[in-house]
Amino acid sequence: NMVYSACEDIGNFFGFQDSSVRNQAEHLLILLSNNRRYMSSHILPISVQPPSPIHALHAKVFSNYMKWCRAMGVLPNFSKMNSSMSAPPAVASRVVDLVLWFCVWGEGSNLRHMPECCWFLYHKMMEEYIRSEGMNQTRSLYAGHYLDHVVTPIYSLVAKSMRSKKDHVERCNYDDFNEFFWSRDCLRFHYSSKDPNEDADIEAIAGLTRPLQGESIPPIADGLSNAPKTFLEKRSWLRGVLALSRILEWHIATFFLLSVIAFARELVWGWVYSLQVASGVFWILNSMHLCWGLLEVWGAYPGIQLSGTAVCGSVFSLSARFLILVYQTLYIMWAFSPHSGIYLGIEADSTFWWWQYIWLSLLCMIPYCVEAMMQIWPALSTMLYTSQNDFIQSFLNILYPLSRLYVGKEVHESVNHTFVYSIFWITLIVWKLFFSYVFEVYSMVLPSLELTDDYLNYPDQSFAKMMLLLTMRWLPQFIVYLIDMSIWYAAWQAFAGTSVGFSDHLGDVRSIDDIRQNFGRAPENFCKKMLSPDAGSRRGSSASFLGASTNSMMASEGSSLLGTDSKKLQSYVNRLLDVRIQKWVMFSAAWNEIIDHFRDEDIVSNTESDNLKFSQFQGFSQAIYLPVFQTAGVVEDVLSELERPADDYIDPKTGAVTDEAYFKPITEHITMVTAVSEVWELGSHIFTLMLGHVHSGDINVIMSTIFTWSENGTLSAHLKVEKMRDVMKHFKALVQLLSKGLGKRKAASKSRSIMKRDIGIMAGPNGGGMRRAVSAGSLSNLESEPSSFQEQDSSKKSNEPIVDALRDQVRDKFRNMAHAIKGLVKGNQTDSESRDIVDRITFLLSMENGFFWDDAYASDQLDDVSKNVTYKAVLKKIHGLVNLHPDDVEPKSKEARRRLTFFVNSLFMDIPNAPSMHDMFSWNVLTPYYSEDVTYAKDDLTKRSDALGVSTLLYLQTLYKADWANFMERMGIQDEEKIWSEKYVEETRRWASIRAQTLSRTVNGMMYYEKALRLLANLERLDNDTTNDLMCEKFGYIVSCQVYGNMKKNQDKKAEDIDKLMHRFPHLRVAYIDTVPVNRSASVLYSCLVKSDGRGGIQEIYRVKLPGNPILGEGKPENQNHAMIFTRSEFLQTIDMNQEGYFEEALKMRNCLQEFAKRDGPLPTTILGLREHIFTGSVSSLANYMALQEMSFVTLGQRVLARPLHIRLHYGHPDLFDKLFFITRGGISKSSKGINLSIEP
C-alpha cells in the first residue's frame, strides 16, 4: 500500500506515465520482497540487520547518489515525511525516495546512459517535492508531462549530437554530456524546460517553485547545449607511446642498469665507480618523466577542463623537472670530469658534485616513491584521492594534476591480494632480468669493447661507423628485451593457472571412469552445496519422492518381506528414511532429470538414457538403484575377487577361512556391495515371478537360507563361493535370453493352464498380485495334495502339444543354472540346511505340474511376465548389470560426456553453498535480438545453400548424425519422408534450430533456469503455489526483440515463431519498440512488453512512451537499455542471441549468485564472469581453432587475471551484473558510436 500510494502521489505531482509508474511499482515491490532476506538472522547478524527491507534497498540504490552529492558539495535530498501514509516516517520517506528514483530512471530512455544526469534530475525533483510536503494541496500534472518537458529536451540535444556525421572531435557523446553533471555548474539550472505549475490542475502554491522576482532559472537543456567537450583523445602514434610510457620507462631504466652491471663485471670496476655510473638512471628517469609530462600536456590541452590550481600545479611540476634536469646534467658532467675545477663559484672534487647530483635526483624521485607506496599499500591511493586535506590537495595538484578528473577514486584491493599480485610480478621480473642479463646484455659487452678498442687503437677508424655498428648490435637485443616480458608472462600465467586449477579442483573429473570413481561421493556434495540445509525435511522424508508407492509398499510389502515382526518393519522404515538414503534419492531425482533433458536434446539414445538413469521399482526394498553405467562390469570384478589365491584370505595360524576375510575386498567397495545386493534382489524377483506360485515356496526357502548364512558369516562354509562364476555364466545366459525373447513375445489371449485359471479363481481379484516373498508353508500345501492337482490337470489337459521355443530355451538355461547351484553347496550329506537346499532344487526341477514339465503353465508364466512392465524394467536393469561391459554403457556422444564430467566435477569444487529458495538472490536474463533466425522453417531447411552446397537439414544431419538417429528413435519415425508431416514438422524444425545459432536455441537454454528452480523447489518440499510465486520473484527472462512490432505489422513468420516461443514458455517476456504513426511525417515510439495470455494470444503488459528513437548509438546496448526497465531482479545476466544454456548448469545458479554475497576485499563484487563453451567448434578446423583461441582467452587467461592478479576485465556475456549497482551508474554497456567499439563493459 505504501508503494502504490507513493506511486500515485509522485506520478501525479511530476506527470509520469501511468504505465511506467505501474511498471516501476511492480519492479520496486519485487525488489523489496527479495530484500526481506536481510531480516533473517542466518543471513545477517541481528547487530547489523537493517531496520527493514526498505532501508536495505534504499542504502544500495542511493550509494552512488551520496558520492555524487559529496563531489558536488551539496547535501542529498531525501523525503522528510509523508503524512498520507500510515507507516513510520523513516520507512515512508524512503519509499518516496525509491519511487521517485525508479520513476525518473524508468522514463529516462537514453538518459539512462548518463547516470549523473539521472541523479541531477532526482536531486532537483526531490528538492521541489520536499518544498511541497506538508501542503494541503498538491499539483496534478497530465501523464506525460515529465517525458515532454524533462526528458525530451535533453534527449533532443543528445540525439542531435549523436546523429551528427561529424568526427568525434566536434560532437559530444553520452559520456561528454554526462561530464557536465560532474560540475557544480549544473546545479544552477532547472530540471524542466517548463514551469510544472503552469500545467497543474490547481493553482500553484505561491512561491513554491517559482524564482524570486527578477531571477531566472534556465532549463538544464540550455546548460547542456553550451557545455564544452571535456575530454578529447587526440589521434596520433604519440597516444600509444603515452599509454605505454610506464612500460617503456621501466624497460629503458632496467636495461641501462643491467648494462652497467655487465660492463662493471667485464672491466672489473670498483663498487664505488659502478654505483656512480649506475646513478645515471636518475637522469634517465627524470628526462623520460619530463617527456611524458609534455605528452600529457599535448594530449590534455586544450580539451580537458582542469581547475586553475591543477593547471598551475602542472606548469610548476614541468618547470621544476626541467630545472632539475638541467642541474642534473651539469652535476653529473662535473662529477665525471677528469679534473677538478671551479663550477658555480665552488671549487670541489668530483665526489662533491656527485653527491649534489644524488640529493637533487632523490628530490625528483618523490613521485616514484609515492607510487611505490601506493602499490604496496593500495588503500593509500584511496586515502589520498578522497582526502579533503588542503596540503594533500596541493600535493595532488602539483604531482598528479590529471588525478583531479578522476571520479572513481575508491578502486583498490586488499593487502592480501596485493601481496599475491606482487609475488607474481616480482618472481616474473626477477627471472626476466636474470635471463636478459645472461643472454641479452652480458653477451654484448665483449663485442662492444672490441669495437671500441679498435676505434681507440687504430686512428683511421670512424667514430660514426663505430656508433652505427654498436647501435646495430644493441638495438635487436633491446627490442627482444622489450617484448620478452610477454613470453615470460605466458609461462608464468601457465604456472599460476595450473596452480589455481589444482587448488580449485578443476579437471579432477575428466572422463566417465572418473565419474564412476567419484559417484559415491556425489550425492553428499550435491545435497551439501546445491540444496539448502532444510531440503528433504520440510514436509517429511525424501521417501515421498517415490510417490504413493512408498507408502503402500511399506504397508503391503512389509509383511511379505519381513513377516509380522514389528521390529524388522521399523528397522526397514528407518533404513528408508535414513539421511544417506534421502541424499541419494534427492541426487537421483536431479540426475535423472539431467539425463531426461539429454534425451530431449537427442544427445543420448533411449538405451543410453536408461543406462545413465537411476532405477526405481514400486514395491522393492530400495528407494533407488544405481545407474547401469555405474554398476556394469562390477559383478565381473566381484567374481575375480572370489577367485583370488587362497593365500590372500586363509588365516596363516589356524588355516581357517572366515567370511570377513574372504569377502573383505568386496565389502570395502561400496559399488561392489551395491551390485551384489541388486543382483540378489532383482534376480530373486525375476525367478519368483517367472516360475510362479507353484515354486515360490521353494525359491523363498532357498533364498532365505542363503541370506541367513550370509548374515551369520558362514556363507563360505556352506558354499563353494570360488566356483560362483559357473553359476553366473548360466545366469547371464538366462537373462540374455529373457531380454531378447520377452520383448518379441506375443502373449496368448487367455490362460492355457487349467491350474493357473483355478488358482486365479480361488485367489479372487487380488490373487494375481503374488509377490516375490511368499511364506514357506506353501510348500507343505503343495506336498499334501499333489494328486488333486495332477488329476485335475490330467483330466483337462489337451492332447495337442504347445509349441513354445522360448519356453524350452528358458527351461534349458534354468536347469543348467540350477545344477550349477547344486554344485556350489558344501556338506549336503552332513548339513541339514545344505541338504534341504539341494533337495528343494531337485524337487523344483522335477515337479510335474511346475514350470519345467507343465508346458501350458510355463508358457502362461512367460506370457504374464512379458506383459508385466515392472518385470521387463527389472530384467533390463539386471541385464545391464551382469551382461554389459562398462564401455558398452557409456554415452557415445562427446557432448554428453563433456557435460556430465563438467557437472560432476563442479560438485567437488569450492563453490558457495546454496541458500533456501526464499533467501536466494533474484536474477533476470536479458537477450538482445534484432532480426536473426528464430526457428528454421521447412523452406530454410530444405533449400540448398550456396555456402554449404547442400541443404541446411542435410548438413545438420551429417554433422550430428548420431543426434539425428536419436531424434528419429525418440519420435518413433521409421521413414524419413514423414518428418515433414503435420505431426512431426514442428519437432523437426526445433531439432534443427537448437543445433544452429537461432533465437529458439537461446530461449530453450535460458528457460532451463526455470525448470531447474522448479526441480530445486520440489527437492526442498515447496508446494506448487509457493513455487509459482517464487518463479515470478526470483527469475525472469526478457528477450529484447527490437523490431518485433514491425515484424507483426509485416506478417513476418519470425514474429509467429516468437509468439510460439512465448506460448511454449509462459514466463518468457518480449520487449520491443513499437512505432505508431501520428501523421504522414511523424510517429510516436513506445517501449512495450508482451507475454502469452495462455489462450493462444499475445497480451500487452506495459507500454511506455519514448521521447524518440532510442537507437542513437550502438544497436546492441541501446536495445538492452530500452528493455532494462522491464527487468525485475537484483542481478542481471546478459546473453547473446547465439548462446544457450544447459539444465545441469542451471541447477548451480543459486550457488553462482552467492558469489555476490562474498566480500573478498574492500569493494563489493559487482560483476561475476562465467566461462563460455563454443558449440560451433566441431563445424570445421577453423572453427575448432577459434574455439580453442576463445577458451585460451576467456577461460585460461581470464582465470589468472581474476586470481591471483585480480585485474580481470569482463567480456560482457554470459557474465552476471549487480543490476542495482549498474543502473545507478550508467547501465551495463556503453553505446557511444565510434568511441565504444567494444560495447561490453
Side-chain angles (χ1 to χ4, degrees), residues 36 133 178 298 345 354 395 417 428 465 710 882 942 1013 1039 1085 1199 1211 1224:
R36 287 180 301 177
E133 286 184 327
N178 191 61
W298 165 81
W354 183 76
F395 172 81
H417 292 168
L428 172 57
K465 180 180 178 181
S710 175
V882 299
T942 56
L1013 288 179
V1039 179
L1085 287 87
R1199 182 193 306 165
Y1211 189 41
T1224 57

Side-chain angles (χ1 to χ4, degrees), residues 336-562:
F336 284 93
S337 175
H339 306 290
S340 299
I342 299 175
Y343 305 108
L344 300 178
I346 301 174
E347 182 178 3
D349 59 3
S350 60
T351 304
F352 172 81
W353 295 115
W354 183 76
W355 278 109
Q356 300 306 309
Y357 166 79
I358 291 298
W359 300 131
L360 193 61
S361 298
L362 291 178
L363 180 64
C364 68
M365 289 297 107
I366 291 176
Y368 292 96
C369 296
V370 173
E371 290 184 2
M373 289 298 298
M374 292 166 65
Q375 288 289 331
I376 297 173
W377 188 28
L380 178 62
S381 61
T382 299
M383 294 172 58
L384 289 176
Y385 290 142
T386 58
S387 174
Q388 300 300 318
N389 184 276
D390 292 338
F391 293 102
I392 294 179
Q393 293 297 312
S394 300
F395 172 81
L396 293 174
N397 281 328
I398 294 173
L399 295 183
Y400 304 101
L402 293 182
S403 69
R404 317 313 296 142
L405 299 176
Y406 296 166
V407 293
K409 300 178 179 180
E410 300 179 13
V411 183
H412 65 274
E413 288 289 343
S414 65
V415 176
N416 292 335
H417 292 168
T418 305
F419 176 76
V420 178
Y421 173 89
S422 301
I423 290 297
F424 179 91
W425 284 110
I426 288 173
T427 55
L428 172 57
I429 288 172
V430 168
W431 170 254
K432 176 222 170 17
L433 293 177
F434 171 76
F435 184 90
S436 298
Y437 171 77
V438 174
F439 295 101
E440 297 171 13
V441 177
Y442 185 73
S443 61
M444 297 303 299
V445 171
L446 189 57
S448 301
L449 290 176
E450 291 176 348
L451 285 173
T452 308
D453 184 67
D454 290 344
Y455 170 74
L456 294 175
N457 293 324
Y458 296 95
D460 58 341
Q461 296 297 316
S462 169
F463 177 79
K465 180 180 178 181
M466 179 198 70
M467 292 303 299
L468 178 62
L469 290 174
L470 287 176
T471 302
M472 292 176 63
R473 281 185 171 272
W474 281 89
L475 185 60
Q477 300 296 96
F478 179 69
I479 293 175
V480 173
Y481 183 78
L482 288 176
I483 64 175
D484 67 349
M485 177 73 86
S486 61
I487 299 174
W488 299 123
Y489 172 77
W492 252 247
Q493 175 185 265
F495 295 145
T498 301
S499 62
V500 170
F502 279 127
S503 63
D504 289 344
H505 302 286
L506 291 173
D508 283 1
V509 179
R510 300 182 299 275
S511 64
I512 297 296
D513 286 337
D514 293 334
I515 294 179
R516 290 192 183 100
Q517 295 173 10
N518 294 278
F519 204 71
R521 298 187 296 130
E524 178 74 24
N525 286 4
F526 174 83
C527 295
K528 177 182 177 181
K529 297 181 178 181
M530 300 183 67
L531 297 179
S532 63
D534 55 349
S537 60
R538 185 175 281 107
R539 293 187 307 154
S541 76
S542 61
S544 60
F545 275 110
L546 303 180
S549 62
T550 302
N551 299 326
S552 62
M553 177 264 292
M554 287 190 293
S556 62
E557 286 295 298
S559 58
S560 62
L561 285 173
L562 307 168

Side-chain angles (χ1 to χ4, degrees), residues 577-836:
L577 303 185
D578 185 81
V579 175
R580 290 173 298 176
I581 300 299
Q582 289 189 39
K583 292 178 179 179
W584 273 100
V585 171
M586 288 188 285
F587 174 69
S588 69
W591 180 268
N592 283 1
E593 194 74 17
I594 292 171
I595 304 305
D596 285 340
H597 283 94
F598 280 13
R599 186 64 194 94
D600 292 339
E601 296 170 13
D602 296 313
I603 62 175
V604 295
S605 64
N606 290 338
T607 301
E608 290 174 333
S609 175
D610 293 338
N611 291 335
L612 289 170
K613 290 172 63 175
F614 284 86
S615 301
Q616 295 179 356
F617 304 117
Q618 181 178 351
F620 280 60
S621 64
Q622 296 186 38
I624 56 171
Y625 292 83
L626 285 178
V628 172
F629 92 94
Q630 179 69 13
T631 54
V634 175
V635 173
E636 190 66 28
D637 297 336
V638 171
L639 295 177
S640 299
E641 291 293 341
L642 296 178
E643 295 172 347
R644 69 187 189 278
D647 296 340
D648 294 347
Y649 52 84
I650 293 179
D651 190 338
K653 296 181 179 179
T654 62
V657 177
T658 62
D659 281 7
E660 181 180 2
Y662 190 80
F663 298 113
K664 184 177 181 180
I666 300 174
T667 56
E668 290 179 348
H669 197 290
I670 184 62
T671 307
M672 287 187 179
V673 173
T674 304
V676 170
S677 65
E678 290 183 1
V679 170
W680 176 265
E681 181 180 6
L682 301 181
S684 63
H685 175 73
I686 288 174
F687 295 148
T688 303
L689 283 190
M690 185 183 70
L691 297 180
H693 56 276
V694 173
H695 303 291
S696 60
D698 293 319
I699 294 294
N700 282 307
V701 170
I702 294 171
M703 301 299 281
S704 61
T705 301
I706 296 176
F707 185 77
T708 302
W709 291 344
S710 175
E711 290 289 315
N712 297 335
T714 59
L715 193 61
S716 58
H718 289 88
L719 297 177
K720 303 172 184 176
V721 189
E722 64 277 4
K723 295 184 178 181
M724 184 60 71
R725 186 176 294 276
D726 293 336
V727 177
M728 289 304 302
K729 180 180 67 174
H730 299 296
F731 177 71
K732 290 179 181 180
L734 177 60
V735 170
Q736 179 80 13
L737 177 62
L738 289 172
S739 298
K740 291 183 178 180
L742 292 183
K744 303 176 182 179
R745 186 176 182 83
K746 294 182 180 179
S749 59
K750 60 180 181 179
S751 176
R752 289 163 289 193
S753 173
I754 302 301
M755 179 188 66
K756 187 174 180 65
R757 288 201 297 265
D758 292 343
I759 292 294
I761 294 172
M762 289 186 293
N766 298 325
M770 296 286 294
R771 297 295 185 181
R772 65 185 182 282
V774 182
S775 173
S778 62
L779 180 64
S780 59
N781 295 333
L782 290 174
E783 292 176 344
S784 61
E785 298 178 339
S787 58
S788 62
F789 281 106
Q790 292 174 9
E791 292 172 2
Q792 188 179 35
D793 183 54
S794 59
S795 63
K796 299 182 179 181
K797 187 183 301 183
S798 174
N799 294 326
E800 297 181 3
I802 300 175
V803 179
D804 191 341
L806 176 63
R807 176 201 62 203
D808 298 336
Q809 292 175 358
V810 169
R811 283 172 170 175
D812 292 339
K813 300 295 184 184
F814 201 101
R815 286 191 184 98
N816 294 335
M817 188 183 73
H819 290 302
I821 294 175
K822 289 171 63 177
L824 284 181
V825 180
K826 295 181 181 178
N828 53 8
Q829 302 298 328
T830 57
D831 182 69
S832 59
E833 291 183 340
S834 300
R835 185 171 61 255
D836 183 57

